[in-house]
Amino acid sequence: MKKKIALVTGGFTGESVISLKSAAVVEKTIDRDRYDVYKILIYPGEWYFESASGEKIPVDLNDFSISIGDEKINFDGVFNILHGSPGEDGKIAGYFDMLGIPYTTCDQLTSAITMNKGYTKAIVDDIPELHIAKSLQLFGNTPSNLDRVQKELSLPLFIKPNNGGSSIGMSKAKTWKELPEALDKAFAEDKQVLVEEFVSGREFSIGVFRGKGEIKVLPATEIVSSKEYFDFEAKYTAGVTEEITPGRMNEEEVARVARIVEKVYEKLNCKGAVRVDYFLEKETGKFFFIEINTVPGQTETSLISQQVRAMGMEVKDFYTQLIEEMFE
């Protein structure tokens, strides 16, 4: 018997556009000999499966089931590709936990913590060989922030919403005059904002996943952007960024990065596939942790897909490992 898998996509944030693109790739690539896949779209107040004829069939939220004609379909598991809220911040994980339905991503606690950049950095701070840029976590857009940042941090600075992904609301301030506008932009996206000192380094992103019972580190991607930093435009506009997979690291760096990111995965109690962004500082080669993404994109050109192929694995087999792991 094939397992019935709900592929959840959509979401409550601007990242829903990317989620739909990711879901289209997963839906097309997943092993249909093993799984029957039902794409479930989740929007505020509207959870549904769209039939081949275009009919919207509502999800019964009491047990996360759908009824097609006389057939009631209960799902064996969930492939979560829902970026942002509620798929990445722990809300949907808690819902599935209460129903006893397994899913491919991190549990409720890990998802909630890792959506908060400041809290995540506090947890991974003591991992050997891992460094963190000096930063401040701000909890409201008040005039006193300007004085505090100037007293405690040095220019240039990155200012970004503490929660969320896709680099929406992120700015770089090279002068103190640029700081007020940068804070306003970040606080427009979130009630908490992270301000951190700039690290001059080469930027990388690396996938880590658990498959067949063991943690596997994928080849890293080096991010070479024509923009000053990897913002929303750089991530999702063709030609703005060069992505080199595997990234240019020597043997020592490859081994050290793998050691560190495996420890990050373990320390945060991650499940499924995650992506860790980091810098290697130009002068020292030190590893500086940027952030972790627990529902990384799965589009044709996404970093994880590139890394899986660079490892010599078919993306279809990668998805099978993620699905089978959630049933263990």
Side-chain angles (χ1 to χ4, degrees), residues 3 34-35 78 102-105 209-216 265 270-273 317-328:
K3 291 189 173 85
R34 287 172 173 262
Y35 312 112
V78 172
Y103 46 91
T104 54
T105 46
F209 73 102
R210 190 184 292 276
K212 297 183 177 177
E214 60 182 77
I215 298 172
K216 300 177 183 181
Y265 192 97
C270 293
K271 294 182 177 67
D317 297 335
F318 170 64
Y319 292 159
T320 298
Q321 287 196 33
L322 295 184
I323 292 167
E324 290 307 309
E325 189 66 30
M326 77 173 162
F327 293 121
E328 293 301 318

Side-chain angles (χ1 to χ4, degrees), residues 203 222-227 240-244 248:
E203 186 168 356
E222 186 173 353
I223 311 292
V224 184
S225 179
S226 60
K227 298 200 73 180
V240 174
T241 301
E242 184 186 3
E243 295 165 356
I244 303 166
R248 295 167 296 188

